[in-house]
Amino acid sequence: MELESEDIQAALEELHQYVDITEEDLKKIYVIALRHAKERLTLKVPVKDVMTGNAICISKDADIHEAARILSENRISGLPVVNEEKRLIGIVTEADILYSAGMEKSHNFGDILRNILGEPHPKIRNGSKVEEIMTTRVITTSPDRDIREVAKILDEKRIKRLPVVDKNNKLIGIISRADILRYLGKQ
C-alpha cells in the first residue's frame, strides 16, 4: 500500500497541533496516514457502477423455447421476468427449463456439477410458458448497495446474479459474479 499526499495531509490535520517532527511524531503520522489510506481504498463501490444495464429480460407470457433460445444465444444462465411496466415478477434459469423439459430429479453429472458449483436444485415445474416455471421469490438489490454486500449474498445464497431494481421494483440492470470479478480485476 502506498501513501499519498492526501493521506499525510489528513493525518497532519487529525493531530490538531503544531508538529515538531521527531521520530515519535513521524511514527504517529505514519500510523494515522496508513489508516486513512486503508479507508480510502475500501470505499463503497455502488452496484450501479458495476452492474450490466439494459439487462436481457423476458415476459411471463413467453414460451419456454424462446427463453431457452435467449439464454443460449446470449450465453447467460438466467433471465429476469418482467411485466409490461418492466417491473420484476420472477426469474427463469437454465435449470428451470431443463427440469420442465423432463430432466429427472435423480443425480446425474449435471446435478453433481451444479452441486459443486453451489447452484440450488430448482423445484420441478411443468408448463410451456415462462410464468409456469419461473421462480417468483427473487432476491434483488438496489443500485446504491455496496458490491461487497452483493458478493456476500451471492455466496451465501449460492446464486450467480441479482436483478437490480429501483424503489418501484422496476428492473434497471443485473449484477453477476462475473461483473464483480471484472471490476475487481481492473483495480
Side-chain angles (χ1 to χ4, degrees), residues 77-90:
S77 59
L79 277 172
V81 182
V82 295
N83 66 14
E84 301 77 26
E85 298 164 341
K86 209 171 177 186
R87 293 183 202 281
L88 184 70
I89 58 172

Side-chain angles (χ1 to χ4, degrees), residues 14-15 21 43 55-56 82-83 88 91 99 108 110 112 118 137 147 151 153 155 158 160-161 176 184:
E14 193 170 311
L15 288 176
I21 301 292
L43 289 177
I56 300 168
V82 295
N83 66 14
L88 184 70
I91 194 161
Y99 278 93
N108 59 31
I112 294 167
R137 296 181 65 191
I147 62 168
I153 293 169
D155 182 52
R158 298 181 167 210
K160 295 179 181 178
R161 74 205 72 71
S176 66
L184 295 174

